[in-house]
Amino acid sequence: MLTKEVLPLYDREMEYLLCDVKKDAEGFMVQGKMGIVKDEATVSGGTGPGRPVVETGTILFAEVLGRTLSGRPLLSTRRLFRRIAWHRLRQIKELNEPIEVKITEWNTGGLLTRIEGLRAFLPKAELMNRVKNFKELKENVGRRMYVLITRINETNNDLILSEREAWEMLNLREGTLHEGTVKKIFPYGAQVRIGDTNRSGLLHISNITRTRVTAVSDVLEIDEKVKVLVVKSMFPDKIALSIADLESEPGLFISNKEKVFAEAEEMAKKYRQMLPVVLATRKSGSTLSNALPFDSEEIMYANWKWFKFERD
């Protein structure tokens, strides 16, 4: 087994083989990544030779690549780790759940990170906030964010992410409570910007309160801060909001706005409890049965654990 095939490293990690894990590893280690990192190599006055990359007696799982000219098996732990990493990524994508990553690099097209040690690309068009220049793009390096895997192709080493779709999945679920700002008032409702984002939803006049409203301008003002609940929309890709579902009694928003907003958390929790239980989050159109995907591939690996995502 060649040294470069022992560990699942990429080129930027090689210089860190003789590092102090507690002090220097943050620059290249990725949460959830599998691998062996050498420590206790820093000595007074500089960096010493340290210990071997892999100690004698270490048990490694490896893939057979072929044979050397002398007939000995040519092994690679790195290749096996890579194969498992792609397997785990396919699993995450099938489960269709956002995951947290740390941005490590940037280029003119977007941001770069690593998931399970594999390089992933987040196009700037898929960021929540619009990027106006390269400086703003570079400022995202080191930031942690939730992303959704949107495209994966092991053959071409393509791993594409989206922060925008992850945000929508996490924050636009029915029953999610948000603070918002009234930006526009229409005869039929109000446009409310959600938090500090550039996303807005419609607060329809029928969802402002459970009592009659003659004119929206009578109960809401431009730039007014409100708390709103995400409710089921009648139109695809449209965000529907409600204050009426936060009222503990009909018409309370008209008589006592402060009480409605003070009780918002409790009322939102009650609303979520009445929602039907969602048993699966797979994308519509999936042809897989109720069996776990990639079962035949899973048995190839030792000590395998299946990903599980739990919600409140």
Side-chain angles (χ1 to χ4, degrees):
M1 185 185 296
L2 301 176
T3 303
K4 68 178 184 177
E5 298 294 342
V6 176
L7 302 178
L9 302 175
Y10 59 102
D11 53 358
R12 289 191 60 196
E13 293 178 309
M14 297 302 291
E15 58 188 274
Y16 288 99
L17 276 177
L18 298 177
C19 75
D20 187 333
V21 175
K22 295 181 180 179
K23 296 180 180 179
D24 303 326
E26 179 66 20
F28 70 95
M29 289 188 69
V30 180
Q31 183 178 8
K33 179 183 166 195
M34 300 174 289
I36 304 170
V37 180
K38 179 177 158 189
D39 58 3
E40 297 180 6
T42 302
V43 296
S44 58
T47 301
R51 301 178 304 177
V53 174
V54 178
E55 298 284 356
T56 302
T58 301
I59 298 176
L60 298 175
F61 291 92
E63 180 177 336
V64 180
L65 301 181
R67 290 186 177 274
T68 63
L69 293 176
S70 61
R72 293 183 178 180
L74 186 61
L75 306 178
S76 174
T77 293
R78 180 181 183 181
R79 185 76 63 87
L80 179 62
F81 272 123
R82 183 178 178 84
R83 188 185 295 273
I84 293 176
W86 279 109
H87 175 92
R88 290 164 72 91
L89 290 176
R90 288 193 294 273
Q91 179 193 5
I92 295 173
K93 187 177 187 305
E94 175 62 26
L95 292 175
N96 195 33
E97 286 283 351
I99 57 174
E100 186 180 19
V101 299
K102 180 179 178 181
I103 302 302
T104 55
E105 304 173 61
W106 72 283
N107 59 30
T108 56
L111 305 173
L112 298 166
T113 185
R114 289 195 175 259
I115 304 177
E116 297 297 328
L118 300 175
R119 198 180 195 195
F121 179 61
L122 174 60
K124 57 185 179 183
E126 293 298 325
L127 289 168
M128 268 299 297
N129 299 320
R130 178 179 295 181
V131 177
K132 300 178 182 178
N133 50 56
F134 291 153
K135 181 181 178 182
E136 292 184 357
L137 192 63
K138 186 178 180 180
E139 288 174 350
N140 284 283
V141 175
R143 176 184 161 206
R144 290 189 179 274
M145 64 176 69
Y146 280 91
V147 297
L148 193 71
I149 298 175
T150 57
R151 189 167 79 243
I152 180 172
N153 189 322
E154 182 177 355
T155 304
N156 300 327
N157 287 322
D158 281 343
L159 182 53
I160 309 300
L161 312 174
S162 173
E163 182 194 17
R164 179 175 52 81
E165 292 190 26
W167 185 89
E168 291 178 358
M169 184 168 289
L170 291 171
N171 295 279
L172 297 184
R173 289 172 175 158
E174 186 179 1
T176 305
L177 181 67
H178 289 286
E179 292 186 358
T181 306
V182 178
K183 303 306 293 183
K184 294 181 181 179
I185 291 180
F186 309 105
Y188 53 84
Q191 177 185 342
V192 179
R193 187 177 67 189
I194 300 175
D196 297 326
T197 70
N198 58 1
R199 301 301 304 275
S200 298
L202 176 64
L203 176 61
H204 194 267
I205 188 171
S206 63
N207 284 333
I208 295 177
T209 179
R210 292 303 181 206
T211 191
R212 180 178 174 80
V213 176
T214 305
V216 178
S217 57
D218 291 341
V219 292
L220 292 173
E221 299 178 354
I222 299 294
D223 293 331
E224 181 179 354
K225 302 293 183 181
V226 294
K227 288 187 178 181
V228 291
L229 192 71
V230 178
V231 294
K232 188 174 182 179
S233 175
M234 296 176 60
F235 306 96
D237 302 324
K238 299 295 183 181
I239 305 172
L241 305 173
S242 173
I243 296 177
D245 288 289
L246 299 176
E247 293 181 321
S248 55
E249 57 185 77
L252 184 61
F253 183 71
I254 302 297
S255 60
N256 194 339
K257 292 184 179 181
E258 290 76 13
K259 185 176 180 180
V260 173
F261 297 151
E263 298 174 344
E265 291 283 353
E266 181 182 352
M267 295 302 297
K269 184 177 180 180
K270 291 181 179 179
Y271 182 91
R272 289 192 292 268
Q273 290 174 346
M274 294 187 294
L275 294 176
V277 178
V278 179
L279 298 178
T281 60
R282 292 179 183 172
K283 293 182 179 178
S284 60
S286 176
T287 57
L288 293 175
S289 64
N290 292 328
L292 294 175
F294 318 117
D295 278 343
S296 59
E297 188 177 353
E298 179 186 356
I299 61 176
M300 297 171 59
Y301 310 124
N303 303 321
W304 187 257
K305 291 185 179 180
W306 201 261
F307 273 108
K308 292 182 179 179
F309 293 89
E310 297 181 358
R311 296 179 180 173
D312 296 334

